[in-house]
Amino acid sequence: MTDQTAKLDWRQTDAGAVPVSVQFDDPYYSLVGGLAETRHVFLDGNDLPARFGGDFQIAELGFGTGLNLLTAWAAWERAGCSGRLNFTSFEAFPMDAAQMARALQAFPEVAPWRDRFLTGWAGSGGYMSETLRFELIVGDARKTLPEWEGQADAWFLDGFSPARNPELWGAKLLADVGRHTAPAGTLATYTAAGQVRRALQAAGFLITRVPGYGRKRHMTRGALA
């Protein structure tokens, strides 16, 4: 595990303890329904699971608690897809397994996938099962993404708020997202910040602002032009 591990505070809510990043002073998921937010933003935002099949590749900026991974993996298996879902995540400050386990206690619906993943996960490395091939790339995505050899069919852009974590939303990095997107590939993110939408347009995506989840009025979807 990298020495740049996640530093957390735990905020008490009606739904239990929610992890908050000390580095970015931002919660890891919605205080009003993290699992529902993941499904709305990242699955629905990329037209998943309807597009699942074949050698499908998801890539993600910001691994966080692993909730997005587990939600996508559960959807893949429930859809009865053959083969493995490929999922690559870029994360500068990864949680350790104990932190992830505590954070994910709030989502019993994905507990079967959580338990399988945490049992086999090699810390900052990868994980493979009959239905999932996962890779966690640790470090500054501005340096690691350009070196990645993959092409994503769907991107989950889930860094902390652009106001608090501007490095993960810069025009150069988002241009690299475009370069690492397969033909007809898509993206989704919870933010509708103007500078993010403009940078994604410049990276070659057709951008749509659509209703967000919870208190967020809007979010962003994109498709490679």
Side-chain angles (χ1 to χ4, degrees):
M1 179 67 70
T2 176
D3 58 358
Q4 289 186 303
T5 52
K7 296 178 176 61
L8 307 180
D9 282 333
W10 295 88
R11 182 177 301 170
Q12 292 298 322
T13 71
D14 292 340
V18 173
V20 177
S21 168
V22 171
Q23 283 102 335
F24 300 101
D25 189 27
D26 211 13
Y28 276 85
Y29 47 75
S30 172
L31 302 181
V32 292
L35 182 57
E37 179 184 44
T38 289
R39 287 171 171 157
H40 177 83
V41 175
F42 298 113
L43 294 190
D44 295 349
N46 281 289
D47 295 323
L48 304 176
R51 293 173 55 221
F52 278 159
D55 193 27
F56 198 86
Q57 173 74 60
I58 294 174
E60 174 183 56
L61 294 183
F63 181 58
T65 66
L67 179 61
N68 297 341
L69 164 68
L70 300 181
T71 305
W73 185 20
W76 177 271
E77 291 194 341
R78 286 168 173 160
C81 298
S82 61
R84 294 187 178 100
L85 171 66
N86 300 296
F87 196 110
T88 301
S89 189
F90 298 84
E91 172 63 62
F93 300 102
M95 289 187 180
D96 61 33
Q99 291 172 322
M100 288 177 62
R102 181 179 178 185
L104 292 167
Q105 286 177 354
F107 309 106
E109 189 172 339
V110 297
W113 293 272
R114 175 201 66 201
D115 294 345
R116 288 158 59 195
F117 179 77
L118 290 178
T119 297
W121 184 43
S124 60
Y127 172 89
M128 186 177 294
S129 73
E130 292 183 357
T131 55
L132 175 68
R133 180 185 292 110
F134 170 71
E135 179 184 24
L136 178 63
I137 298 177
V138 177
D140 187 333
R142 294 173 296 180
K143 298 178 181 178
T144 58
L145 176 54
E147 298 175 353
W148 185 49
E149 296 181 356
Q151 295 282 301
D153 297 294
W155 275 96
F156 295 0
L157 303 184
D158 197 24
F160 291 109
S161 162
R164 299 179 186 274
N165 185 201
E167 294 82 4
L168 212 58
W169 303 96
K172 185 177 184 302
L173 180 57
L174 296 181
D176 284 323
V177 167
R179 283 189 283 271
H180 289 272
T181 302
T186 63
L187 65 85
T189 178
Y190 65 87
T191 185
Q195 72 270 24
V196 172
R197 290 186 286 111
R198 289 189 292 272
L200 289 170
Q201 287 172 331
F205 292 95
L206 296 175
I207 294 301
T208 306
R209 190 174 69 167
V210 297
Y213 174 79
R215 299 188 183 98
K216 295 184 174 71
R217 292 182 59 193
H218 299 107
M219 56 168 276
T220 301
R221 297 178 59 170
L224 196 64

